[in-house]
Amino acid sequence: MKHRTTLLLLVQLFAWFALQAQEIIRVGVIGLDTSHSEAFIRLLNADDPEPQYAGFKVTAAYPYGSKTIESSVKRIPEYTEGAKKNGVKITTSIAELLKTVDCVLLETNDGTLHLEQAVEVIKSGKPLFLDKPVAATLPDAIAIYRFAEERNVPIFSSSALRYSPRNQELRAGKEGKVVGADCYSPCTEEPSHAGFYWYGIHGVETLYTLMGTGCESVSCVSTEGTDVAVGVWKDGRIGTFRGLREGARPYGGTAFCEKKMFPAGGYEGYGKLLETILTFFKTRVSPVDQTETIEIYTFMEAANESKRQGGKPVSMKAIYEKATKEAPIVR
């Protein structure tokens, strides 16, 4: 019995040393002006993290982040103090942060800063997750992906709504082919971001999670409280996004499948998205092809153009080609 007890203690001791020796993947956060940063730090730096988050830790953060959008700026002091309490070193620049981390969460709420910030990370060669929006304009989004491809650096962007378990089931065909979808989400506006880019991205990402790529034209009607964008896919399917600014403003939608219609998934926290991001950091393979992400932003810009033209249908191809010509050349 004594020998068995000693053996058990040795096994436990060996396991403890193995755990201590486990290499931690160091995560850097850019932008402490959003609740996403706070949530990711809390999940990864917990005293006893969930198994799916083990092996990663946020070790450094650069707070900025927006310097002009009031709703974002006012969060920075609180989230900075919270990060410090969770053992995160606060840096004075992105360059300083990049020296001490293995991968990066670009969380800055202000998409107008994303091109500049993403380029700095991409030049370092470190895997990069870009939180919504990829950028505040389609040309900037195209420039980011083009530069990452040229440098062979993996990047990934997504709304958390894509990873609602129900949306993933519908995308995988659990209920048969999705022949159409109507999706909705809050769609508050921000003058520095065109149309849906600031917040409507959540509902548009849900729409694309269900429908996939292949939209050819978009028309959009708009009032003070609501936008409704209608996309026609090349196979004849129709998908809509309703952006909500008044009344109830939930996340969700309806998927019209081959035999029945089903509710789409809504917001269920950041956990599933974070799991996917960590897998991406390990594999360096984006779970969402860049062509789909770029098409999502093309859809939103086509909706903007349709609104400018009084609701007329706008060609996705024309919008993409125009934005490609306008995309900044990054060196």
Side-chain angles (χ1 to χ4, degrees):
M1 176 66 83
K2 182 178 179 181
H3 292 306
R4 290 180 61 186
T5 302
T6 302
L7 181 60
L8 179 60
L9 288 172
L10 287 172
V11 169
Q12 291 175 336
L13 188 62
F14 177 80
W16 184 86
F17 278 116
L19 184 63
Q20 303 311 303
Q22 180 180 346
E23 183 178 354
I24 295 294
I25 296 176
R26 302 166 300 170
V27 180
V29 171
I30 298 173
L32 295 177
D33 61 344
T34 167
S35 60
H36 298 199
S37 299
E38 188 273 338
F40 290 154
I41 291 171
R42 175 170 42 81
L43 291 169
L44 292 178
N45 289 25
D47 291 335
D48 186 19
E50 296 293 324
Q52 63 269 33
Y53 309 134
F56 289 85
K57 187 174 182 179
V58 177
T59 57
Y62 173 64
Y64 301 97
S66 179
K67 296 185 180 181
T68 59
I69 300 172
E70 183 181 357
S71 61
S72 298
V73 172
K74 67 182 183 182
R75 296 172 174 173
I76 294 175
E78 177 187 349
Y79 290 156
T80 299
E81 287 306 310
K84 289 179 181 177
K85 291 177 181 177
N86 276 283
V88 179
K89 177 185 176 182
I90 304 302
T91 69
T92 58
S93 68
I94 293 175
E96 181 186 353
L97 175 141
L98 290 171
K99 292 176 181 178
T100 63
V101 301
D102 305 304
C103 46
V104 176
L105 297 166
L106 202 168
E107 297 298 319
T108 302
N109 223 13
D110 187 348
T112 65
L113 301 175
H114 279 197
L115 176 59
E116 176 186 352
Q117 293 182 328
V119 164
E120 190 168 358
V121 178
I122 292 167
K123 285 181 177 179
S124 77
K126 300 178 190 296
L128 170 65
F129 172 74
L130 275 153
D131 216 326
K132 65 86 188 167
V134 168
T137 68
L138 179 57
D140 276 9
I142 290 172
I144 289 169
Y145 272 91
R146 184 166 59 192
F147 186 61
E149 188 171 32
E150 289 172 358
R151 291 294 185 107
N152 196 31
V153 175
I155 66 173
F156 161 45
S157 182
S158 177
S159 160
L161 274 292
R162 177 180 289 271
Y163 292 100
S164 157
R166 189 52 174 156
N167 289 340
Q168 286 295 298
E169 289 175 351
L170 290 165
R171 177 157 179 121
K174 182 176 180 179
E175 307 296 351
K177 181 180 178 180
V178 175
V179 299
D182 297 336
C183 300
Y184 49 81
S185 78
C187 192
T188 52
E189 295 179 325
E190 162 53 46
S192 61
H193 291 62
F196 302 154
Y197 279 62
W198 178 245
Y199 221 81
I201 174 62
H202 292 303
V204 179
E205 185 107 37
T206 302
L207 178 64
Y208 266 82
T209 302
L210 303 181
M211 295 283 288
T213 58
C215 183
E216 291 189 322
S217 68
V218 179
S219 55
C220 185
V221 294
S222 179
T223 66
E224 184 176 344
T226 309
D227 293 312
V228 177
V230 180
V232 179
W233 267 245
K234 62 183 178 183
D235 57 6
R237 295 179 300 151
I238 293 176
T240 71
F241 166 64
R242 177 179 289 263
L244 307 169
R245 286 186 292 278
E246 65 180 15
R249 287 177 280 181
Y251 300 89
T254 301
F256 300 93
C257 299
E258 293 171 297
K259 295 183 179 180
K260 292 178 67 177
M261 51 190 287
F262 299 91
Y267 172 69
E268 298 183 40
Y270 303 119
K272 291 295 182 182
L273 173 60
L274 181 57
E275 287 182 50
T276 306
I277 294 169
L278 300 184
T279 299
F280 160 69
F281 284 156
K282 288 179 180 177
T283 64
R284 298 177 66 92
V285 176
S286 173
V288 182
D289 192 274
Q290 70 175 44
T291 57
E292 181 164 342
T293 300
I294 292 296
E295 186 172 320
I296 287 171
Y297 285 80
T298 304
F299 180 100
M300 295 194 292
E301 181 52 35
N304 291 338
E305 182 59 29
S306 177
K307 285 166 63 175
R308 289 190 283 266
Q309 296 186 24
K312 293 180 180 180
V314 170
S315 162
M316 290 276 286
K317 181 180 179 182
I319 291 295
Y320 174 74
E321 290 177 348
K322 179 176 182 290
T324 299
K325 293 177 181 177
E326 296 174 350
I329 301 299
V330 180
R331 300 296 184 193

